[in-house]
Structures are given as structure tokens and as C-alpha cells.
Amino acid sequence: MSKYARPELLAPAGSIHHVRAALSYGADAVYAGIPRWSLRVRGNGFTREDFKTGIELAHSMGKKFFAVLNVIPHARRLSTFEEDLDSVAALKPDAFIMADPGLIDLALTRHPEIPVHLSVQANTVNPLSVKFWQKLGVRRCILARELSLSEIGIIREACPDMELEVFIHGALCIAVSGRCLISGLLSRRDANVGNCNNSCRWRFRARSLSVELEECEKRQGEWFTLDEDENGSYLFNSRDLCALPLLEKLLALNIDSLKIEGRSRSPFYGAAVSRAYRLAIDALLKGEPVPLESGRLLNALPSRKFTTGLLEPHLPHETQDYASNSPHKGRLELCAAPEAIDGGRLRLRVKNRFDVKSTLFIYTPKGALPLEVTDLRDENGAPAEVAPGDGYIRTVPAPEGLTLEHPGENFVVRLREEDEEDRPA
């Protein structure tokens, strides 16, 4: 028997395609934003019918689906909230993820049968806040990213009967729990209603390299310098969170849910990160070390380099990316979506360019298979040297034993550089 309780692994879903991918690759639950009422307005492909399909799919797999309504809206935006809330509640999601106290009170009153999980936007950082929300009827608190492991431990000890959720992977924000005004000030896109344009990631250049501290009498005349190099200055450009090195410590704290960020990322990203942490969690529960595949897979995905954030102490250069404002492309690039197997050949809908010399793998929920592409043909069966990019159809010999019961849960990826350590396991 494991010395740790099994936590829920919670993955993001930016569309219905993300739902099956994440759940098939190891997530126990997914969360998806309700249009207009969640903090991922851009790229939110969910319709009401998608919510219905996604909830039914999750439940058919014995898993959960959480609906996100975590905006902090101004009064003029509230006219349709009750109607939208009732519409989603009728589909019976497993929880609402919410941040605004008034909206939470309304949801608990109108739909007491649906648990409310307190969003990270509420910035819960101490056990008194957790107990306050528990008294109001909130079932789970998603703790702020600004907490250390020791602080999480204090909250866990003080609130043993409250569900706690902690972010373990994905983008970080320089503002407290994402409650930021930079985007609104620079481009009139309010981050607190889901319109953040990530302007904190922009490259800044200073007109003056010094700022005088006039407001502090003791330090009048003292100057701070703003350093910049040929890339400019990236004051707010945080690395991405990766808690894989601290996963066993989180298990020891008896956290109820471990959460992956990334509703704006691709279905393959959600699937791959879910698989990496699924393998790691299962190994640790068995008393085994985290498998190498977990780290290799995460390191092969696009990221802004990794940090364990505020979960443990760091020097500044270990948390910020001062070199560029663009994420590293990673070693794995999504190339195609498998659609069907016909006559021993696998039909691919191309997403990104590859050719007959490319090193490809097809990811399935059971692992990765090498994909031979030297015999590449177009949709008419004619030999082809290249799959030029999005919109093209190509066929290749189907790997032995491959089945496509659910085509949307398989992904063809290209290894950008030959490196044995980065080969999928």
C-alpha cells in the first residue's frame, strides 16, 4: 500500500479536442472555461453543445469535468450571468471554478448540488481564508501560486477537511495570482475578464537607464539602474512552472488535486504533460522513482525554460527569463493528426511541415511508436517528398498494431534534432 494518498491530476481543456486527449493520456479531470465568464476568452472553442459532449465523455470514462466561471466582472457585464449559469448547471458539471464572492454566493444559492472550487484568482494564501470560504460552502480552494511548500503544509495542517488544489505546471504570471493591470493599461484589454495580451512578456527598452527615488527622503539622489542587452530588457518574463522535481513533497502534503495550466495550448501539449505527470505520480505511489520519460517529455515540449516558482527559494536568475521574450520551441513539434487506416496505410492531416527525412513518432495513450515516412504519398497515392504544411493530406505505412478507435487522441510529432536522450519512450 502506498504511503501517499492518490491526488487528482487536473488538466486544461481549451476545446472539446483537448478533453479526450488529456483524459486519455492520464488526467483524472479537466477544466474548461465558459465563454464570457472565464479568464481564457481568446481561443476558447467551447460551445454549450461542446460542454454537454465534454461532460458526457468525461463521465463515460469515470472522470470529472469542471466548468470555469472565474472572471471578476463589473456590474454592466452581469445581465446574462444567471441565465448562463443555469444553462451550464443543467449539464451537471462536477464543479464550478469561481473567484468573485458575489457570483459564488449566487451559484451556491441557485445550484447547491454543484460544488464550487475557489479559483486561484481569489489569491488564497493562509488557513484563515480557507476556513472562511469553507464556512460559505466552498468545497475546494485552489491555492495561490505565491505560496511555498512550507506555507502549503501549514494550510494543509490547519485545514485537514478542506480540499486543496495546487498548480504544478505551466505559465506563471508576474502579478499576484494573475490579478494584473498591465494589459489593460497598455492595450485596454482587461486581464481580469479574460482578455490579457501577455504584455508583460514584451521586450521593453528604456529611454533613460535611471530612475530617481524622489519619494524617499532618506534615499534622495540615489539611482537604480535598469540593465539591458542586445535583446532589450525583460522585466516581467517569468519562466514556466514545473514542479516535477518537487512532486513527492507535494504528495507528502496530501494535496487533493495537482493542476496543469494551459487552456490556450494545443491538445498535444495537454496530453503530453498529462502523461508525464501521470507516469510520475503512479511511480511515486508505488514507491518507485520518477521515470526518465516524464522529465524527457516535459523538456521536449515548448516552454520558457522551467522553474519551481515560489514553491522553493530561488535566486532571481533562476525564476526569470532575461534572454528572450519567446518560448523555446522544444524538441517535439506536432506535425499531423492521424485520421484513418486504409489498406495498411495511415492517412495524416498535416499540421506542420515534414519530409521523408524527418524523424517522426506517433503518440498514443500507451506510448510512442516510430513512424516510417520514407514511403510518403499524397492523397491520390502518388509518391511525395514533402508534406508542405497545414491543409495537406499525406499517407504513410501504418505501424504494426496501431488502431485508431478514437483518432483525436493520437498525434504525429517530429523530433527536431536527433538525440537519443530526447527520443520518446
Side-chain angles (χ1 to χ4, degrees):
M1 179 179 293
S2 173
K3 61 180 178 179
Y4 305 125
R6 186 182 191 276
E8 171 188 273
L9 179 60
L10 178 57
S15 73
I16 191 63
H17 303 294
H18 291 70
V19 176
R20 181 178 291 280
L23 296 179
S24 296
Y25 280 73
D28 299 301
V30 294
Y31 61 101
I34 298 174
R36 295 192 71 242
W37 302 110
S38 80
L39 293 184
R40 287 296 181 272
V41 171
R42 291 176 297 141
N44 188 333
F46 270 96
T47 64
R48 187 182 187 281
E49 189 59 33
D50 287 333
F51 266 96
K52 181 176 185 295
T53 302
I55 292 169
E56 290 175 350
L57 173 60
H59 291 173
S60 72
M61 299 173 71
K63 302 190 177 188
K64 294 182 178 181
F65 189 110
F66 304 145
V68 183
L69 307 93
N70 63 345
V71 299
I72 301 174
H74 290 253
R76 63 182 179 273
R77 293 175 56 93
L78 291 176
S79 59
T80 67
F81 180 76
E82 289 188 18
E83 178 183 347
D84 293 342
L85 176 71
D86 293 346
S87 177
V88 175
L91 302 178
K92 301 190 183 306
D94 295 283
F96 291 136
I97 298 177
M98 306 181 72
D100 185 274
L103 302 190
I104 289 174
D105 183 56
L106 182 65
L108 290 171
T109 301
R110 293 180 72 87
H111 302 286
E113 75 284 1
I114 299 179
V116 170
H117 295 175
L118 185 68
S119 170
V120 71
Q121 291 297 115
N123 191 34
T124 306
V125 295
N126 63 66
L128 295 180
S129 291
V130 173
K131 290 178 179 180
F132 166 81
W133 288 109
Q134 189 173 18
K135 287 178 183 177
L136 260 63
V138 169
R139 182 78 59 84
R140 175 187 295 184
C141 278
I142 305 170
L143 298 179
R145 291 183 176 94
E146 292 75 36
L147 293 174
S148 66
L149 285 172
S150 61
E151 291 174 308
I152 294 171
I154 291 171
I155 293 174
R156 175 76 290 170
E157 185 175 359
C159 308
D161 55 346
M162 180 62 154
E163 291 185 20
L164 300 180
E165 182 174 305
V166 174
F167 275 92
I168 58 170
H169 199 89
L172 289 173
C173 182
I174 56 91
V176 176
S177 293
R179 298 172 71 171
C180 181
L181 294 176
I182 295 177
S183 174
L185 289 171
L186 295 184
S187 60
R188 297 177 182 266
R189 287 170 53 172
D190 187 355
N192 298 301
V193 294
N195 279 321
C196 181
N197 67 350
N198 294 313
S199 47
C200 61
R201 310 279 192 188
W202 294 353
R203 180 175 62 186
F204 293 90
R205 291 194 180 278
R207 292 186 177 181
S208 170
L209 293 183
S210 302
V211 180
E212 190 171 8
L213 301 177
E214 297 178 344
E215 74 281 0
C216 181
E217 183 176 345
K218 292 193 300 182
R219 304 180 73 173
Q220 279 190 355
E222 183 176 347
W223 298 76
F224 286 159
T225 59
L226 173 63
D227 296 327
E228 69 176 39
D229 58 18
E230 65 276 8
N231 295 309
S233 291
Y234 298 94
L235 300 179
F236 315 119
N237 204 25
S238 174
R239 296 185 181 188
D240 287 351
L241 174 66
C242 177
L244 188 68
L246 304 177
L247 193 56
E248 187 165 12
K249 292 181 180 179
L250 285 165
L251 294 185
L253 292 175
N254 194 29
I255 303 302
D256 297 276
S257 182
L258 302 175
K259 187 172 193 173
I260 300 164
E261 185 277 339
R263 277 181 283 157
S264 298
R265 302 279 194 131
S266 71
F268 174 65
Y269 177 89
V273 176
S274 295
R275 175 171 172 78
Y277 280 98
R278 175 82 281 142
L279 293 173
I281 292 170
D282 288 350
L284 291 171
L285 292 178
K286 295 176 184 176
E288 301 171 356
V290 172
L292 292 176
E293 183 185 352
S294 292
R296 289 175 180 171
L297 187 50
L298 294 178
N299 283 316
L301 296 170
S303 73
R304 296 181 183 273
K305 300 182 181 179
F306 287 138
T307 175
T308 51
L310 297 176
L311 291 171
E312 61 179 359
H314 286 95
L315 295 172
H317 72 274
E318 296 174 323
T319 57
Q320 297 294 107
D321 178 7
Y322 293 114
S324 72
N325 70 337
S326 299
H328 185 269
K329 292 182 179 179
R331 291 288 181 88
L332 295 178
E333 178 184 44
L334 180 65
C335 282
E339 291 191 333
I341 298 175
D342 185 15
R345 295 191 67 83
L346 179 63
R347 177 184 170 92
L348 304 176
R349 182 166 295 278
V350 180
K351 300 294 185 182
N352 286 297
R353 186 186 187 282
F354 64 91
D355 58 39
V356 293
K357 296 180 181 179
S358 299
T359 302
L360 300 191
F361 294 86
I362 180 167
Y363 263 92
T364 76
K366 296 180 180 179
L369 300 171
L371 191 62
E372 179 58 58
V373 292
T374 54
D375 181 14
L376 187 65
R377 302 181 192 176
D378 65 21
E379 56 187 321
N380 298 315
E385 293 290 318
V386 176
D390 191 25
Y392 286 83
I393 299 294
R394 291 291 184 264
T395 70
V396 297
E400 185 176 352
L402 177 68
T403 59
L404 297 180
E405 183 179 356
H406 304 294
E409 66 186 16
N410 299 293
F411 307 91
V412 173
V413 298
R414 177 170 70 91
L415 191 63
R416 292 182 188 275
E417 299 177 25
E418 281 287 357
D419 188 328
E420 287 298 325
E421 290 191 358
D422 289 305
R423 283 184 173 274

